Amino acid sequence: YLDLTYSSYSSLERSIKQISEELKDKAKTQKGIVYQNHRINNQLQNIQKQATSMIHIYKDEGGIFENEIKDIAQDSNLQRAIASFDDELRELKRYQVEREEMGGDITFNPMMDVTSLLDMGEDMTKQAKKTQQFVNDPISERQEQRECMLPTIIKEQSQKPIPFSGEERYGRFLDMHSFHHEAINLELISSNADYTSFLRTFADTHRIPTELKTDNYQAYLTKVRVYLEEFYKRTQPLGDQLKKQEELVHRTFDQDFREGKLPGWDFIPAAIERVEAREGKKKKRRRRKRKRAEVFTKVDVAREVALNEALLRSYAKTLFDELIERTCRETERKQTRTYEEIQAELERDKAMVAKEASEAARRAKEASSKAAVNDNPLNIPVGIDGRRMPYWLFKHNQYGVEFKCEICGNFSYWGPKAFNRHFQEGRHAHGMRCLRIPNTTHFHGVTKIEEALKLWRTISAKTKNKDWDTNLEEMEDDEGNVYSKDTFMDLKNQGII
């Protein structure tokens, strides 16, 4: 349970950090805004999930958490705690190897003990062997696969694409064309009614005659209500106005329905009174009972239809009023535009989405680079396999010691080996040629420009008018071989190097 508590705290910190990163860079396009809100909502749900798990752990109804602390606190039980930990770790490693070989995955429950976790994994292994659904993960994904297997780490699910139709444009407009055609087929509106007039009046259900409110009408009404609710959840995952409107309608619906205050249902009180009046009669008991059940069944059906209508009116007037008007304006604007103009606008939207995606990728790359730098504060060299050099070898070779060379433009060399080698490299040789000084062994170890000039004047004074021995000047080829200047030039002229 101590490991689970640590895992929950770590997951909470990661979710909070990711939310803060999302809030720093506000999305600009409609698609970016919707997807960003869903990512934030997923992190908030993970925070609630981890907090709930921590509450169960701290309640410690079975006393397991308290026993773990006591075992660690008491020296007499320390060996037993270590042995138990080693056994569980050994089982987890065995299970991890099995899962890596077949490429499977599980969803970990923080309240599940290790035995249950292993049993569930074995069952999934048997099922996978039956269906022969094996996936060989590439080497680059193995690290993520290993983290998914450990019980102290919760896997963060990748974001799935959010379904939107072409007309909806990622939540900018409504797409109710199918409901428009269905309303015409049910004769709820005139066959000449256009799409914009339907959008402005589809919530005015009190205008529909009662005889048209059949089972097909009830199914149509339910589909429209569900569409609006799902549309709100897709476009505004962080909003809570939908739930508030639903609670507000339910709070006053029963009383308004019985009193006939709902539009189009003013006859309900009289129908209920007739049924209740029959209850006082004692004659024809069986017939009365059958008739009362039939009437009340019709009232219950009417109540369900009236509830859907009330919810639909509430949604249209409070949550979707601006969106409905925006959709109507867009529909009227499309009717005045050519096909080429519409396609050009769609291409502009795609270009904006692509630009925002590229910027997001760039920011993610910068963040990963920054994280990589922070993850390696000692700047330990990394091999071609992606692994760092052992720290003892890093200290032994003094790779943490910095040497600067002023002749090379204040370039830094890390470690004595790289520093000594750079005197025969092209950067240092170029700096010496700029100073009009031959790059000979006399200047090995000299990094200051002033010291190099002073040493050159001293050597020139001693040699006086003697010719300078060019063999003392050394040159290096591409393979790192060092030659005297004359030998190097001869080999270069012959094309050997």
Side-chain angles (χ1 to χ4, degrees):
Y1 271 33
L2 289 174
D3 292 337
L4 296 180
T5 306
Y6 172 77
S7 171
S8 298
Y9 275 116
S10 300
S11 181
L12 283 174
E13 291 180 358
R14 288 197 300 270
S15 297
I16 293 173
K17 184 177 180 180
Q18 290 181 9
I19 291 176
S20 63
E21 292 295 331
E22 291 286 352
L23 295 178
K24 286 180 182 178
D25 299 323
K26 291 288 186 179
K28 298 178 182 179
T29 62
Q30 177 68 20
K31 179 181 178 180
I33 293 172
V34 171
Y35 275 78
Q36 187 178 59
N37 289 338
H38 275 275
R39 288 193 297 268
I40 295 175
N41 184 53
N42 292 338
Q43 297 301 328
L44 291 175
Q45 291 179 356
N46 182 59
I47 290 175
Q48 293 179 351
K49 178 181 177 181
Q50 298 304 324
T52 304
S53 301
M54 292 168 63
I55 290 174
H56 287 293
I57 292 175
Y58 281 122
K59 283 184 178 179
D60 196 20
E61 296 178 355
I64 301 176
F65 190 58
E66 184 179 359
N67 293 334
E68 286 187 3
I69 296 177
K70 288 182 179 180
D71 290 341
I72 294 175
Q74 297 177 5
D75 295 337
S76 60
N77 297 328
L78 181 59
Q79 295 299 328
R80 186 178 64 181
I82 295 176
S84 176
F85 174 79
D86 292 338
D87 293 339
E88 293 184 1
L89 181 61
R90 193 178 302 109
E91 291 296 325
L92 286 174
K93 287 183 177 180
R94 178 185 63 81
Y95 171 73
Q96 178 183 353
V97 172
E98 293 179 357
R99 297 299 296 171
E100 283 184 353
E101 291 177 353
M102 52 177 280
D105 191 14
I106 62 172
T107 301
F108 172 69
N109 182 2
M111 298 306 299
M112 186 182 301
D113 56 8
V114 176
T115 305
S116 301
L117 180 65
L118 296 175
D119 292 341
M120 185 175 67
E122 292 177 358
D123 294 340
M124 294 181 64
T125 303
K126 295 177 181 178
Q127 184 67 22
K129 289 181 179 179
K130 290 180 181 179
T131 56
Q132 295 182 356
Q133 294 178 352
F134 297 105
V135 179
N136 294 324
D137 295 336
I139 297 177
S140 60
E141 297 179 0
R142 286 297 179 89
Q143 183 63 26
E144 182 180 358
Q145 181 87 9
R146 296 189 189 98
E147 294 181 354
C148 296
M149 297 301 114
L150 294 176
T152 57
I153 297 180
I154 307 298
K155 180 181 180 182
E156 298 177 359
Q157 301 292 339
S158 58
Q159 186 176 8
K160 298 180 180 180
I162 306 170
F164 283 103
S165 66
E167 290 288 334
E168 289 175 339
R169 303 275 289 277
Y170 295 102
R172 292 179 62 185
F173 311 107
L174 291 171
D175 184 8
M176 301 184 68
H177 290 279
S178 60
F179 302 125
H180 174 224
H181 298 311
E182 189 172 355
I184 293 177
N185 294 334
L186 294 175
E187 298 182 354
L188 304 179
I189 58 177
S190 173
S191 58
N192 298 326
D194 58 0
Y195 182 56
T196 55
S197 61
F198 167 75
L199 288 175
R200 292 190 172 100
T201 60
F202 76 91
D204 299 336
T205 55
H206 60 280
R207 299 180 180 179
I208 301 175
T210 308
E211 58 270 14
L212 294 179
K213 297 182 178 181
T214 60
D215 293 341
N216 292 332
Y217 170 75
Q218 183 179 357
Y220 155 80
L221 203 64
T222 302
K223 287 188 289 186
V224 175
R225 176 184 60 81
V226 171
Y227 169 76
L228 294 180
E229 292 175 351
E230 292 297 328
F231 185 89
Y232 183 87
K233 293 176 182 177
R234 282 182 293 154
T235 56
Q236 302 184 41
L238 300 177
D240 59 348
Q241 294 299 320
L242 181 67
K243 185 177 180 180
K244 290 182 179 180
Q245 288 298 322
E246 186 176 355
E247 293 176 352
L248 183 62
V249 171
H250 281 282
R251 190 181 308 159
T252 59
F253 174 77
D254 289 332
Q255 183 177 356
D256 293 344
F257 180 74
R258 293 181 64 87
E259 295 178 359
K261 294 181 179 180
L262 296 176
W265 300 97
D266 51 353
F267 61 91
I268 291 297
I272 296 177
E273 289 178 1
R274 286 195 300 269
V275 175
E276 293 177 348
R278 291 192 182 96
E279 289 185 357
K281 297 181 180 181
K282 297 181 180 180
K283 295 180 180 181
K284 300 180 181 179
R285 189 169 185 176
R286 292 183 180 177
R287 182 180 178 185
R288 183 183 74 248
K289 192 173 184 180
R290 185 171 62 253
K291 187 69 175 177
R292 176 177 175 271
E294 181 181 353
V295 174
F296 263 109
T297 300
K298 293 181 179 179
V299 171
D300 292 339
V301 174
R303 182 185 181 280
E304 184 177 354
V305 175
L307 179 58
N308 281 333
E309 291 181 350
L311 290 172
L312 201 62
R313 284 193 300 270
S314 177
Y315 296 161
K317 292 180 180 179
T318 57
L319 302 179
F320 294 92
D321 52 344
E322 295 182 1
L323 187 60
I324 290 172
E325 190 61 31
R326 188 192 310 154
T327 305
C328 291
R329 291 197 302 267
E330 178 65 15
T331 303
E332 294 171 352
R333 192 168 67 94
K334 277 186 176 181
Q335 294 173 354
T336 61
R337 307 184 71 189
T338 62
Y339 174 79
E340 290 76 11
E341 291 175 341
I342 295 175
Q343 291 299 317
E345 183 178 1
L346 292 176
E347 291 297 330
R348 286 195 298 270
D349 291 344
K350 290 182 180 179
M352 290 181 62
V353 172
K355 181 179 179 181
E356 185 176 19
S358 62
E359 291 180 356
R362 180 183 56 80
R363 290 194 297 268
K365 185 177 181 180
E366 291 178 355
S368 62
S369 301
K370 187 182 296 183
V373 172
N374 295 334
D375 190 47
N376 191 8
L378 297 178
N379 197 21
I380 298 177
V382 180
I384 58 175
D385 57 351
R387 297 183 179 180
R388 299 182 194 171
M389 177 187 297
Y391 185 69
W392 66 268
L393 185 59
F394 174 79
K395 294 289 290 183
H396 177 73
N397 292 330
Q398 299 183 6
Y399 285 128
V401 180
E402 181 182 13
F403 297 89
K404 283 190 175 183
C405 181
E406 187 178 359
I407 298 175
C408 297
N410 288 326
F411 192 82
S412 297
Y413 299 93
W414 296 90
K417 186 176 181 180
F419 175 71
N420 293 327
R421 187 174 59 247
H422 99 279
F423 289 104
Q424 284 78 38
E425 293 177 349
R427 185 191 302 272
H428 191 82
H430 175 72
M432 295 293 286
R433 284 196 297 272
C434 293
L435 296 176
R436 299 181 181 276
I437 300 175
N439 188 23
T440 63
T441 56
H442 298 83
F443 299 92
H444 187 88
V446 179
T447 59
K448 300 292 184 180
I449 294 177
E450 184 179 354
E451 294 178 357
L453 293 174
K454 185 177 180 180
L455 179 59
W456 173 239
R457 286 194 294 267
T458 302
I459 295 175
S460 299
K462 289 182 178 180
T463 55
K464 294 183 180 179
N465 296 328
K466 294 182 180 179
D467 294 334
W468 179 259
D469 188 1
T470 56
N471 289 325
L472 296 177
E473 189 173 356
E474 296 177 342
M475 305 293 287
E476 182 183 9
D477 61 3
D478 296 336
E479 297 180 356
N481 301 317
V482 180
Y483 306 94
S484 64
K485 183 176 181 180
D486 294 341
T487 305
F488 179 83
M489 295 305 299
D490 292 340
L491 295 175
K492 185 175 181 181
N493 294 334
Q494 297 174 13
I496 298 177
I497 58 173

